Amino acid sequence: MYKIRGKIIDIKNETITSKAGDQFEKMYITIEETNSGFDHIQQFEIFGKETIENMQGSKKLAHGQFVNIDFYIKSREFKGKFYNALMVKGIHIEDSVQRISEESTPF
């Protein structure tokens, strides 16, 4: 498990339709890392409608908020190439004592 702190600079939602017609939701959170001494920009992914709702909790994520993100790296192979994604495990919005975590989801 990895941790990072940064300022949210972009939030995007995406709906994906599978070949079978099933729909899935993804949220992409882009942050500017603030504690490394460099202006690194990282994009994180949250998969599934229920997980997105649980992560946001009662306080919605918004541009300009400072967050601490717990994440893991997920790698997928497609046609001989590997693709990595930074998957959110938990988010702590600064200025809030509320802890939002994927651990509260049933999956």
Side-chain angles (χ1 to χ4, degrees):
M1 185 78 60
Y2 301 92
K3 297 179 184 291
I4 192 169
R5 178 185 183 270
K7 180 180 180 180
I8 296 176
I9 58 173
D10 193 28
I11 300 171
K12 292 182 182 173
N13 292 301
E14 179 182 17
T15 301
I16 301 164
T17 304
S18 70
K19 291 180 183 178
D22 298 324
Q23 289 194 332
F24 303 96
E25 291 188 28
K26 278 188 180 183
M27 175 184 275
Y28 297 99
I29 302 168
T30 306
I31 68 165
E32 183 175 19
E33 188 177 3
T34 56
N35 60 354
S36 69
F38 300 98
D39 294 334
H40 292 139
I41 295 175
Q42 309 289 341
Q43 186 175 67
F44 297 87
E45 193 175 307
I46 304 173
F47 183 80
K49 182 178 181 177
E50 187 174 309
T51 305
I52 292 168
E53 290 171 356
N54 287 338
M55 289 281 181
Q56 291 205 79
S58 61
K59 184 171 184 178
K60 300 292 182 193
L61 298 172
H63 294 262
Q65 286 178 323
F66 283 88
V67 292
N68 290 295
I69 297 178
D70 297 328
F71 68 98
Y72 60 96
I73 301 169
K74 183 176 182 180
S75 182
R76 297 186 268 303
E77 184 270 334
F78 180 71
K79 295 185 179 180
K81 292 183 86 175
F82 285 87
Y83 299 88
N84 298 318
L86 304 177
M87 305 298 295
V88 175
K89 182 71 175 167
I91 299 177
H92 172 33
I93 302 169
E94 291 187 8
D95 302 324
S96 172
V97 284
Q98 181 181 10
R99 174 73 179 171
I100 306 167
S101 175
E102 187 176 295
E103 295 167 6
S104 63
T105 63
F107 302 103

